[in-house]
Amino acid sequence: MTGESVVLRRGLLVVLLVDTVLLATLELFFLPLRLDGKLLPKLGDVPVPVTVLVAIVTTPLLVGQAGKLAGPRAAFAPLVVWVLTVVILGLFGPGGDLVLVQDWRALLLLAGGVLPAAVTLGSALATPRRK
């Protein structure tokens, strides 16, 4: 590998990590969505944690791409950054507010983000190193 290739791969890894922070923030702030007629249609004031689906899809993609870009050992970075962003921003949000809702949706978000990404991390670590 040339020096430019290593710099490019590390730069792309940094972009992936910034994307991870942005996605975790979006998933956290839109977690309390409800069918209450304000943002979504009014259908009985039911909670709709649609950002859990976003977490289920995007966190494994970020972990897999990090493993391809910077090697299997760097595949853990998006998962750690995602968890830290959700926990720190959720518990110590802007202005000291508690952003993480304290019900089943928070557990669903954490499970939906961590479990599929952990499976992808395991498969990334199991792949043989490129030479």
Side-chain angles (χ1 to χ4, degrees):
M1 248 190 256
T2 65
E4 289 179 7
S5 176
V6 171
V7 171
L8 179 64
R9 288 178 182 271
R10 289 189 181 166
L12 288 174
L13 181 64
V14 169
V15 170
L16 263 172
L17 295 178
V18 170
D19 187 34
T20 302
V21 170
L22 293 175
L23 278 168
T25 304
L26 173 101
E27 292 158 3
L28 185 61
F29 283 163
F30 284 100
L31 185 63
L33 279 179
R34 303 179 76 80
L35 293 172
D36 58 359
K38 293 179 182 163
L39 187 60
L40 296 176
K42 185 164 181 68
L43 294 172
D45 202 29
V46 178
V48 181
V50 73
T51 59
V52 173
L53 297 175
V54 175
I56 289 171
V57 171
T58 58
T59 52
L61 289 175
L62 292 167
V63 168
Q65 287 301 318
K68 289 177 187 175
L69 280 175
R73 293 175 122 199
F76 75 92
L79 180 58
V80 170
V81 168
W82 187 88
V83 169
L84 286 176
T85 302
V86 168
V87 169
I88 291 172
L89 190 61
L91 297 178
F92 311 105
D97 293 336
L98 183 66
V99 179
L100 192 62
V101 291
Q102 296 181 1
D103 62 5
W104 58 272
R105 293 173 288 178
L107 293 175
L108 195 62
L109 177 66
L110 289 171
V114 170
L115 294 178
V119 170
T120 305
L121 176 62
S123 67
L125 291 174
T127 58
R129 285 192 68 127
R130 287 184 286 165
K131 294 180 180 165

